[in-house]
Amino acid sequence: MNPIRLAKSWINYRRTVAELGGLSNHALSDIGITRYDIRNIAAPLLPLIGTKPGLQRRRPRAPFLLEARDGCGRKPRMNKTTSRYSPIHVIGGGLAGSEAAWQIAEAGVPVILHEMRGVRGTDAHKTDGLAELVCSNSFRSDDATSNAVGVLHAEMRLAGSLIMRAADRNQVPAGGALAVDRDGFSQAVSTQIESHPLISVVREEISDLPPREWDLAIVATGPLTAPALAEAIRRETGADALAFFDAIAPIVYTETIDMDVCWHQSRYDKVGPGGTGKDYINCPMTEEQYNAFVDALIASDKTGFKEWEGTPYFDGCLPIEVMAERGRETLRHGPMKPMGLTNAHNPSVKPYAVVQLRQDNALGTLYNMVGFQTKLKYGAQTDVFRMIPGLEDAEFARLGGLHRNTYINSPILLDGSLTLKSRPGLRFAGQITGCEGYVESASIGLLAGRFAAAERKGEKPSLPPATTAFGALLNHITGGHIVSDDEPGKRSFQPMNINFGLFPPLEAGALTRPEGAKRFRGKEKALAKKQATAGRALEDCAKWLAHETS
């Protein structure tokens, strides 16, 4: 399949879904369809696809969907499929490890995936399912026309990403974002990994670096790497692992939210894929309520961590109380901003602040508190969060928490194909490399898997162009970051989400004033720049993938 054609078909599909999704239920009824029919109607815009040569090609009901199956089959298993290639070992069954294993297997190379959960748990995981989401259930914006995260989504879909297939299959409404039912998502990934004829899943803890006889291996143990393996990595690299704190937001039972106070609405009524424009529950606050809430956040008991002293927070995942301590208005201009929202119960009164909750599972029985990651002690959480209007009687399916994440100094330690410079054949992938976010972690796993599979076949790994989201993120991790010694105490390499600041500048003349426009600056020019950067990225990614398969 020509990747350029695939990219255009995918964009047309998403546009059709968005346009139909923007219609009211009444308008959809007038044309004889329901909201659940939208994806099936748009599906013919997609080309016929197949996963392997020789298999009958088919048109999916939606792009790159997984066929969900019952049971997860989590017992250790070794497949009988033979191959002329020796297996590649992947350590870690999170998003990056699962994606890496999938890409290797889809390239026709056998892979052994080692996952310790089921033998040993972590402080943050609740299950032994592959690709379990421990923080938010959101993959963030799915807008591939002007948002860097959305561009990365699109590139991963073009590359046959298992993680994006599972996310699309288990999507829940979230405005313009892609959010998933976390349990369904994990089960879908687990099922596909464990049923692939070239993937063997072994439940065991790897407490040291891979033995030398594992000539090709990928460490994708994530930010919660077991202490013994983390120490082995430190010994091999001769450098201390960097570290930062990450926090988890609470989840509320939907039936305990007072909808006589709260209302459903997406910010600016934005309709995203699978959404209605009313995908969030909003809790309004007056100025007096907001100030009392901020005071309570600052005064409440918080988790202590003496052994973690000196470890910084990742700025993209600050605990709510840390934001409150940075200034009284910080929350009101951050996760609690009231812009783009109108109180359905009292439209004439503008809320001073708003707490948003986003659907967390497909049934709609759970909602998570957006941006409310916290290190408050459990007792304090229930007391403080029940101060929020509409949550006075809220019951929590999960309270927030704090865990310590670790990552390596990748620009110093890894080469351009994610290989450890001190040990050829050993790659790192996912959040342990210093990328931040679900899709970023999975995308680096995707690249590491492709690079390793190419090396096993005797080929030179094909690096993605720097103009793509893949290439921009890879370059930041493996060398784009500038290490400076002229500012003592300054934090150097930091976890990073994908953003347009990582992409190379547009070529001269790439932006032109729209015909008839009197002005072309400010927001209009910034949006045009993002759109041009996104368009260039998708076109170059499609060409790169086409060259890889030619």
Side-chain angles (χ1 to χ4, degrees), residues 68-135:
R69 304 178 188 178
D70 294 333
C72 292
R74 295 188 177 113
K75 294 182 179 180
R77 167 184 64 83
M78 297 296 292
N79 284 320
K80 303 298 184 181
T81 302
T82 58
S83 171
R84 62 192 179 100
Y85 299 113
S86 301
I88 296 173
H89 294 262
V90 177
I91 304 173
L95 279 79
S98 297
E99 185 66 69
W102 183 261
Q103 294 293 326
I104 294 167
E106 287 293 279
V109 176
V111 56
I112 301 175
L113 178 62
H114 306 263
E115 170 54 48
M116 74 174 185
R117 284 179 296 116
V119 175
R120 172 179 176 160
T122 75
D123 293 335
H125 290 90
K126 303 299 182 185
T127 76
D128 62 356
L130 300 177
E132 178 186 346
L133 306 181
V134 300
C135 295

Side-chain angles (χ1 to χ4, degrees), residues 335-373:
M336 295 176 65
K337 59 181 177 288
M339 283 75 79
L341 299 168
T342 301
N343 190 336
H345 303 298
N346 196 355
S348 62
V349 177
K350 184 73 175 177
Y352 189 76
V354 173
V355 174
Q356 286 198 307
L357 294 94
R358 178 179 56 233
Q359 186 173 331
D360 198 80
N361 66 343
L363 294 175
T365 56
L366 300 174
Y367 271 69
N368 64 67
M369 301 175 69
V370 178
F372 266 60
Q373 50 274 0

Side-chain angles (χ1 to χ4, degrees), residues 81-388:
T81 302
T82 58
S83 171
R84 62 192 179 100
Y85 299 113
S86 301
I88 296 173
H89 294 262
V90 177
I91 304 173
L95 279 79
S98 297
E99 185 66 69
W102 183 261
Q103 294 293 326
I104 294 167
E106 287 293 279
V109 176
V111 56
I112 301 175
L113 178 62
H114 306 263
E115 170 54 48
M116 74 174 185
R117 284 179 296 116
V119 175
R120 172 179 176 160
T122 75
D123 293 335
H125 290 90
K126 303 299 182 185
T127 76
D128 62 356
L130 300 177
E132 178 186 346
L133 306 181
V134 300
C135 295
S136 167
N137 70 323
S138 175
F139 283 30
R140 312 197 314 281
S141 175
D142 204 35
D143 175 12
T145 64
S146 60
N147 187 286
V149 179
V151 174
L152 188 56
H153 287 182
E155 290 185 9
M156 291 175 68
R157 289 179 176 117
L158 288 176
S161 165
L162 170 66
I163 294 302
M164 292 308 299
R165 294 186 193 182
D168 287 332
R169 178 66 178 85
N170 291 279
Q171 184 182 47
V172 296
L178 173 61
V180 303
D181 178 321
R182 67 180 72 230
D183 293 332
F185 169 81
S186 176
Q187 182 174 345
V189 173
S190 298
T191 299
Q192 291 295 296
I193 288 289
E194 294 177 340
S195 62
H196 197 293
L198 288 177
I199 301 177
S200 299
V201 180
V202 179
R203 297 284 179 170
E204 62 179 357
E205 180 181 0
I206 304 297
S207 58
D208 204 344
L209 287 179
R212 295 287 177 175
E213 53 266 30
W214 295 4
D215 61 326
L216 288 180
I218 298 172
V219 176
T221 47
L224 299 174
T225 298
L229 180 55
E231 174 60 21
I233 293 171
R234 190 197 66 78
R235 290 196 306 267
E236 172 68 28
T237 61
D240 290 333
L242 304 180
F244 65 99
F245 290 135
D246 201 2
I248 301 172
I251 296 176
V252 180
Y253 289 105
T254 311
E255 62 184 12
T256 66
I257 301 172
D258 187 354
M259 295 309 297
D260 289 332
V261 175
C262 307
W263 75 98
H264 287 276
Q265 184 188 8
S266 301
R267 201 176 298 280
Y268 300 108
D269 300 308
K270 186 173 182 179
V271 177
T276 65
K278 296 182 178 181
D279 301 326
Y280 292 79
I281 292 177
N282 301 277
C283 309
M285 279 188 175
T286 64
E287 182 175 3
E288 181 181 2
Q289 290 169 330
Y290 173 80
N291 285 325
F293 180 72
V294 170
D295 290 337
L297 279 175
I298 295 173
S300 294
D301 291 337
K302 302 167 182 67
T303 302
F305 38 82
K306 290 183 179 179
E307 70 275 19
W308 295 345
E309 290 290 343
T311 304
Y313 293 106
F314 171 56
D315 288 338
C317 198
L318 285 175
I320 192 83
E321 60 278 0
V322 173
M323 285 188 274
E325 291 168 353
R326 292 188 172 184
R328 182 160 293 273
E329 292 294 294
T330 301
L331 291 174
R332 207 169 74 84
H333 292 278
M336 295 176 65
K337 59 181 177 288
M339 283 75 79
L341 299 168
T342 301
N343 190 336
H345 303 298
N346 196 355
S348 62
V349 177
K350 184 73 175 177
Y352 189 76
V354 173
V355 174
Q356 286 198 307
L357 294 94
R358 178 179 56 233
Q359 186 173 331
D360 198 80
N361 66 343
L363 294 175
T365 56
L366 300 174
Y367 271 69
N368 64 67
M369 301 175 69
V370 178
F372 266 60
Q373 50 274 0
T374 181
K375 63 188 181 84
L376 293 179
K377 290 186 176 180
Y378 283 174
Q381 286 187 48
T382 55
D383 292 341
V384 173
F385 294 151
R386 283 174 181 159
M387 294 175 64
I388 299 170

